[in-house]
Amino acid sequence: MVKKRACIFISGSGTNLRSIIKSTRDYNFPINIELVISNKKTAKGIHYAKKFSIPYQTITNKTKFEHFALRFIRLKKIQIICLAGFMKILSKDFVRKFRGKIVNIHPSLLPKFKGLDTFNRVLRAKEKFTGCTVHFVDEKLDNGKIIIKKRIPINKDLSNKMLKNSVQVLEHKAYSEAIRKIHNLS
Ligand code: GAR
């Protein structure tokens, strides 16, 4: 199988990155992670890039992030970009350059609860179900075509932290499933 050359963008703890790395150990997984880019120096996720000897770059310059990212992406001949807890909004220009090639994971059942502070808003709204969504990125926030959604019931008295943990367990399955699904569709 010819595997696609992937770059993972992160900003934080990198547990989704870790789950994708695990999947890449499967011979039939359709991508190889050629590069990890973090926009935060302190992102814990960088640890996984180091641990698994994946090349990584930290780009903290806010205005030039995309400029530098583009350079590395071209150098590494990247074919797919996976946003995994990447908390910076990409410009329309950047998204257009990679139309259909940028994927994101969001901790809600989109189109519900786009944006930040998702778990608190889900709890306040007394939703009966929540989950996660993997989708293509378009010019609008948390808006592109949906690839996979996974849902769980919300038990009464669940704290924000408990909800976050449960949704993240789902996310770790959903991201790799979505990557496989995109491959099977193309
Ligand atoms: C994940 O829950 C992801 O859905 C969320 O950030 C977390 C990152 O966790 N992303 C967003 O909210 C983007 N809108 P991780 O760094 O451990 O993968």
Side-chain angles (χ1 to χ4, degrees):
M1 174 200 282
V2 183
K3 298 193 177 209
K4 284 220 166 97
R5 300 172 64 81
C7 176
I8 318 290
F9 281 17
I10 61 166
S11 303
S13 53
T15 63
N16 279 287
L17 166 65
R18 185 188 58 198
S19 75
I20 302 170
I21 293 174
K22 267 194 189 158
S23 297
T24 60
R25 293 195 200 135
D26 174 353
Y27 183 75
N28 290 316
F29 196 64
I31 65 163
N32 258 336
I33 305 174
E34 304 290 338
L35 181 64
V36 171
I37 296 181
S38 171
N39 67 329
K40 297 275 178 226
K41 223 182 196 149
T42 51
K44 286 197 190 127
I46 295 170
H47 161 79
Y48 298 115
K50 288 183 184 162
K51 186 172 169 191
F52 294 98
S53 305
I54 299 167
Y56 67 92
Q57 295 289 343
T58 308
I59 310 172
T60 53
N61 186 315
K62 281 190 181 140
T63 48
K64 294 220 169 127
F65 175 86
E66 292 183 2
H67 170 81
F68 290 122
L70 212 55
R71 239 196 230 176
F72 296 126
I73 284 167
R74 295 221 161 110
L75 217 62
K76 291 273 180 190
K77 300 186 168 42
I78 295 302
Q79 297 165 296
I80 177 165
I81 298 170
C82 300
L83 311 184
F86 182 65
M87 304 312 273
K88 183 175 169 60
I89 296 174
L90 294 168
S91 71
K92 290 188 170 67
D93 206 37
F94 189 92
V95 171
R96 280 184 202 130
K97 278 195 181 91
F98 295 98
R99 188 174 292 286
K101 295 189 171 103
I102 310 177
V103 178
N104 180 43
I105 189 153
H106 185 75
S108 77
L109 295 170
L110 290 176
K112 283 184 163 183
F113 304 102
K114 295 178 178 183
L116 297 174
D117 196 25
T118 319
F119 302 112
N120 276 329
R121 288 187 293 132
V122 166
L123 288 173
R124 256 186 265 126
K126 300 205 184 320
E127 293 288 302
K128 292 208 165 60
F129 290 91
T130 191
C132 67
T133 308
V134 184
H135 65 97
F136 287 107
V137 172
D138 70 8
E139 287 88 342
K140 292 189 193 143
L141 183 70
D142 299 328
N143 185 70
K145 188 172 176 234
I146 289 168
I147 305 159
I148 268 182
K149 276 198 225 192
K150 281 193 181 289
R151 72 173 201 169
I152 42 165
I154 303 180
N155 298 327
K156 253 188 167 182
D157 307 322
L158 213 58
S159 69
N160 179 310
K161 199 168 172 211
M162 283 151 74
L163 184 60
K164 181 176 173 182
N165 288 342
S166 315
V167 170
Q168 284 213 321
V169 171
L170 277 191
E171 289 192 331
H172 300 156
K173 291 190 189 125
Y175 220 143
S176 294
E177 264 183 56
I179 291 169
R180 285 197 162 97
K181 189 170 170 190
I182 298 169
H183 172 75
N184 291 336
L185 292 176
S186 63

